[in-house]
Amino acid sequence: MSMHAPSHDLPLMFVEAGILAGEVTILDNISLTLNAGAPTVLIGPNGAGKTTLLRAAMGLIPVTHGRITWGGNETAAPARRAFVFQRPAMLRRSTEGNVHYALAAAGVPHGQRYDRAAELLTLVGLDGFGSRPARRLSGGEQQRVALARALARDPAVLFLDEPTASLDPHATKAIEDIVSNVAARGVKVVMSTHDLGQAKRLAGDLVLLHRGRLIESGPAAQFFADPRTEEASKFIAGELLI
Amino acid sequence: MTGDVSALQLVLSGDPGLFAIVRLSLLISLSAVLFAGLIGVPVGAFIALTLFPGREGVIVVLNALMGLPPVVVGLAVFLALSRSGPLGSWGLLFTPQAMVIAQTVLVAPIIAALTRQTIEDLWVEYRDELAAMNIGPAGRVATLVWDARFSLVTALLAGFGRAAAEVGAIIVVGGNIEGFTRTMTTAIALETSKGDLPLAIGLGIVLIFIVILINALAWAARRAGERTAG
């Protein structure tokens, strides 16, 4: 599998980007640069704007003001992006059928899909699950199918929206291992999580959001060792951000 | 009791008159379901996936049309196909084709309304995934119809049930002509009024058997499909 982040797709930049829903501000003048490299993890309480930021970056929601650029290009976002939702919908097909569908959508020639699907299912630890109905798999297994579907696009950037929410520790570990593996292959991972431990384990960079505002961003090690803002200190300490 | 025994004898003896009626009934009802499916599935999918002014009103009307009175449909098709009607030149009145048209009009709204609901529910579930995979409008329709295929079979079955059981529309446009437009339901109505209960009961038994058989086959196909697709 050829996974690498071509330099022309990154950095992904939010330039004073905002999203309004009626009169409610969902994202408030976000300026943020995501470079190639280790995963960037978005953290923050519920309603902070993490999912909206990821969806905007994916192009699923238009920004109300400001802009988002990819490698300096604003008009055409790269095709090689993929998204794994917090609760991914499984197509009413077999596990292998789900991956085949994603490969077809990504334009992979028919003759190559069988091998690619097998390769992807191996990568996410679902060897032997190919013929099983995807909708009957466990939550953790479905999340892995979603990852395989996303990777079928051979993405330069992979967005993960709380991929381990509601999973048990075993399933969480499996997903984290896949994320680390994918990131090591050169795919830029941008993910959200509520789990500070997970953020410590996976993040190269951290972004703290609160009420749609970017509170703090930077290298994860520095964030945890020496947070610059009161909100970040409270969040790390497990205090409620209200 | 005597009537019941005679009816069974009639069915088991393979009475050619009875089976000609059964054959014509199946031909008309299955043809109507086929045409209604070809109309109803795309219409239902279009309404499910398209936002347009008055959409809510269209959905309300479509749902209401599921309860169309068969005799009213029969009357409307009769007027359309009668010599002075807009389609009178086709010369179809009192033919099996007219009966297919009437049943198609009756069944298409049922299939369209159930398809609309099925596709819309699935669309809510799939919308984000298909958008993230950059699937275009045609691909979305194909995906949703394919993935909803087992539920759509239920919609087709509902349509078949309606077509196979109705008598009001086809008796108006078909005329219940022996050997030409006589179906199970029109024959049951006629024979009951004549007092020939064995034939009426025999046809009733066959009609119920066919409906159960077709539903059982569809159910088995659905179960088999769900085992592989979920």
Side-chain angles (χ1 to χ4, degrees), chain A residues 145-198:
Chain A
V145 174
L147 272 164
R149 280 194 319 216
L151 294 172
R153 300 185 67 76
D154 192 16
V157 182
L158 175 61
F159 298 104
L160 308 171
D161 186 12
E162 298 189 35
T164 60
S166 75
L167 297 186
D168 64 27
H170 181 76
T172 297
K173 171 76 167 57
I175 296 293
E176 287 185 8
D177 287 347
I178 296 165
V179 170
S180 298
N181 188 354
V182 167
R185 291 170 182 240
V187 177
K188 174 64 183 180
V189 173
V190 184
M191 65 178 283
S192 63
T193 184
H194 281 294
D195 183 344
L196 281 177
Q198 182 171 69

Side-chain angles (χ1 to χ4, degrees), chain B residues 176-193:
Chain B
N176 202 14
I177 302 166
E178 186 174 8
F180 188 52
T181 60
R182 184 160 297 172
T183 65
M184 285 189 278
T185 52
T186 60
I188 289 170
L190 178 70
E191 300 306 328
T192 302
S193 66

Side-chain angles (χ1 to χ4, degrees), chain B residues 35-105:
Chain B
F35 291 126
L38 290 174
I39 297 165
V41 171
V43 168
F46 175 81
I47 296 170
L49 299 175
T50 313
L51 294 177
F52 54 87
R55 180 175 177 274
E56 300 294 320
V58 169
I59 291 171
V60 169
V61 170
L62 189 62
N63 288 341
L65 289 178
M66 288 202 293
L68 266 178
V71 285
V72 175
V73 171
L75 177 62
V77 175
F78 179 91
L79 292 173
L81 295 178
S82 63
R83 284 192 184 281
S84 56
L87 306 176
S89 60
W90 292 6
L92 293 179
L93 201 57
F94 304 125
T95 65
Q97 289 91 324
M99 297 158 81
V100 171
I101 292 171
Q103 289 200 342
T104 300
V105 172

